[in-house]
Amino acid sequence: MAFDKKLFADICQEFTVTGEQLHEIAANFRYDLRKGLEDSAQSSLRMLKSYVGLPTGDEKGEYLALDFGGTNVRVLRIRLEGAGKFEVLKKVAKPLRVEGIYDFVGEGSTAEQMFDFIAELVDEAIEGDHTTHYLLGHTFSFPSEQTNLYNAKLIIWTKEFATAGVEGEVVNDLLKAALHRQGIDNVEPTAVINDTVAVLLAAAYKQPDTYIGSIYATGHNTCYLEPYADSADAPMILNLESGGFMKLAPNRFDVAFDEQSEKPGEQRLEKMVSGRYMGELFGMALAELLGEQGKKYGFTSIDMSNIVLAEDAAGVSKIVAAKTGHELATEDAESVRELVSKIIVRSARLVTASFVGIIWQLDSETKPRKQHIAVDGSVYEKMPLAKENIMRALSELLGEEAANIDTVLENGGSGLGAAIAAAMSQR
Ligand code: BGC
């Protein structure tokens, strides 16, 4: 069976962001940013305060870092050596869900079970040492309302997490109670930060001129250093929760997917761009082309990478056949590759529009300053077409001034950033 050509062209069109739309989205993002600074209720961006600015680069000492933001939880013991240097002394990691064995992220699980599991991992990282006093920095990568660096309340789960009893709670209190239950009273959680904030702290620890931090992975979000130029307030990093940006035109696949998601109506941008969702969107579109509308094939963003990188049409066909049971003709396999590319390119363009919205807001009167945008995450790092399309969209939006901006990979920033936050909590 060959794809219907008109249907294929229409679907590709639906996943295209034109130059004009790109400008409009960046301008709308900037508008929401400006509104959000006045009153977050008027903006689709949550603009959450982090109660931390940038590090000096001279932070020193040994800290624990808990990185909790996806299905893999990590605990690290890190020594900060100053001058932007550090050493990871110990690293332990475990998934929060192993299919058919245990699941701490589904509806059936409780906060206690989840945090007891995390406390056990902390115990592994300190090798059962219950005497040395450690400060712990906690990268908690979900929208949280903070009143200071310690106190962060989960507003709402994202990334399809559904564990009961965490929303509305102070996550460090849950962690502390779990540590106490296991006799680990020498570990003191002192700071909670979002993973975007961690990425920005980690990058700024190593090099100056970095004001924006972003995650482009399972989930998506960006933070920046708000200078509060016209007020007496000290500069502070704001977690935008940009995945919740709403001024976008979702296509029918975005809409249909959102309706079946854990949190319909939430995280519009994130559901159009991040790794957790791109495979699902691709699967929905492919189901239409295969005349099986509504069928779920379970494609992931890794399948999408493999499709783009496949040597030839037969390679694409093999990946598709493994999930759908359909053998594709050569022409259709090439069309599948084109569709996958469209979805990735759309994602990169939307993410870039949000970066440029921030850049415009930071330097509204002048040319954009020279700066690095720190990004971490598997989509940015590994997804073919992502990085090059970010650069392309930056040029499209900023023209020659794009030469002042580059994006840098801040690999592992979630752990390092948590240790830096713990160090900064002593100030
Ligand atoms: C969360 C953000 C987080 C992002 C990347 C989103 O789902 O809401 O807080 O920064 O994922 O992990």
Side-chain angles (χ1 to χ4, degrees):
M1 169 195 133
F3 292 165
D4 178 319
K5 289 226 162 41
K6 161 95 175 55
L7 179 62
F8 176 71
D10 286 350
I11 291 177
C12 286
Q13 183 55 41
E14 289 180 84
F15 281 104
T16 301
V17 178
T18 64
E20 201 178 316
Q21 287 164 338
L22 189 72
H23 268 90
E24 196 179 308
I25 295 163
N28 282 335
F29 194 90
R30 178 189 174 188
Y31 177 85
D32 265 19
L33 209 55
R34 214 169 40 220
K35 280 280 160 211
L37 284 172
E38 293 160 13
D39 170 10
S40 64
Q42 291 186 47
S43 167
S44 67
L45 299 169
R46 289 187 198 268
M47 319 263 306
L48 302 168
K49 289 187 170 180
S50 70
Y51 294 90
V52 73
L54 294 185
T56 60
D58 285 328
E59 288 73 10
K60 291 195 181 110
E62 200 173 311
Y63 301 94
L64 288 178
L66 164 62
D67 175 13
F68 173 10
T71 34
N72 225 1
V73 176
R74 301 180 193 88
V75 183
L76 301 93
R77 230 169 63 222
I78 297 184
R79 186 166 56 231
L80 302 179
E81 294 168 349
K85 301 217 164 38
F86 68 98
E87 193 182 341
V88 175
L89 304 171
K90 174 97 186 169
K91 181 173 169 180
V92 292
K94 272 196 186 139
L96 285 167
R97 178 163 56 103
V98 177
E99 190 95 44
I101 303 192
Y102 64 83
D103 180 359
F104 296 117
V105 302
E107 267 173 319
S109 58
T110 66
E112 275 199 5
Q113 291 167 337
M114 175 186 246
F115 280 93
D116 280 342
F117 181 79
I118 293 173
E120 274 171 34
L121 208 59
V122 172
D123 210 17
E124 261 186 58
I126 55 175
E127 294 165 281
D129 166 6
H130 291 184
T131 47
T132 312
H133 181 229
Y134 285 107
L135 299 188
L136 178 144
H138 180 178
T139 295
F140 182 66
S141 317
F142 301 93
S144 308
E145 183 94 59
Q146 296 201 215
T147 54
N148 56 43
L149 193 50
Y150 169 90
N151 188 300
K153 231 183 233 176
L154 173 63
I155 301 170
I156 185 174
W157 279 128
T158 55
K159 293 176 275 202
E160 310 302 296
F161 272 55
T163 313
V166 190
E167 285 175 333
E169 298 299 320
V170 174
V171 287
N172 258 356
D173 286 351
L174 298 174
L175 173 64
K176 247 184 161 169
L179 289 170
H180 183 66
R181 280 195 290 277
Q182 301 198 19
I184 314 174
D185 291 315
N186 55 319
V187 171
E188 188 189 350
T190 57
V192 182
I193 51 173
N194 185 256
D195 51 354
T196 55
V197 177
V199 164
L200 178 51
L201 292 181
Y205 184 66
K206 297 179 210 159
Q207 64 178 349
D209 302 330
T210 313
Y211 312 102
I212 298 175
S214 186
I215 299 284
Y216 192 7
T218 307
H220 170 63
N221 184 17
T222 301
C223 72
Y224 78 104
L225 182 75
E226 169 53 45
Y228 290 116
D230 300 324
S231 84
D233 295 341
M236 185 190 284
I237 302 173
L238 297 181
N239 163 17
L240 298 179
E241 285 299 327
S242 61
F245 181 61
M246 293 299 274
K247 294 188 175 144
L248 295 160
N251 65 28
R252 65 200 158 90
F253 301 105
D254 300 313
V255 172
F257 177 74
D258 177 58
E259 278 165 7
Q260 320 154 6
S261 70
E262 280 285 348
K263 297 269 159 51
E266 301 282 341
Q267 301 296 95
R268 179 166 290 166
L269 175 62
E270 181 169 60
K271 285 174 183 160
M272 292 167 83
V273 304
S274 81
R276 173 67 183 76
Y277 302 105
M278 270 194 276
E280 310 251 15
L281 295 174
F282 163 61
M284 290 171 85
L286 183 62
E288 274 199 8
L289 290 165
L290 292 171
E292 297 186 320
Q293 189 163 10
K295 194 155 176 193
K296 289 207 165 57
Y297 305 124
F299 281 103
T300 64
S301 51
I302 297 174
D303 296 320
M304 293 174 75
S305 289
N306 291 337
I307 287 174
V308 178
L309 296 174
E311 234 166 72
D312 50 20
V316 174
S317 196
K318 206 168 147 202
I319 300 166
V320 172
K323 290 270 158 91
T324 67
H326 289 271
E327 298 289 338
L328 298 182
T330 303
E331 194 189 338
D332 286 350
E334 284 307 345
S335 297
V336 163
R337 196 185 330 238
E338 192 181 330
L339 171 61
V340 166
S341 305
K342 292 270 179 209
I343 296 173
I344 301 170
V345 172
R346 179 182 79 152
S347 162
R349 286 169 78 74
L350 294 177
V351 166
T352 311
S354 74
F355 292 163
V356 170
I358 303 172
I359 290 168
W360 281 341
Q361 169 65 16
L362 279 176
D363 289 315
S364 47
E365 311 292 326
T366 53
K367 281 187 180 177
R369 71 189 82 177
K370 201 168 165 54
Q371 63 182 298
H372 315 287
I373 301 175
V375 190
D376 193 11
S378 47
V379 178
Y380 176 73
E381 189 180 353
K382 303 199 183 117
M383 184 74 110
L385 304 173
K387 238 174 276 167
E388 65 195 75
N389 279 285
I390 291 179
M391 295 319 287
R392 201 168 289 161
L394 274 175
S395 294
E396 236 176 284
L397 288 166
L398 295 170
E400 280 178 7
E401 289 161 6
N404 268 349
I405 322 275
D406 66 355
T407 59
V408 290
L409 174 67
E410 181 47 61
N411 212 339
S414 290
L416 175 59
I420 296 168
M424 291 173 79
S425 72
Q426 291 172 293
R427 277 184 192 164

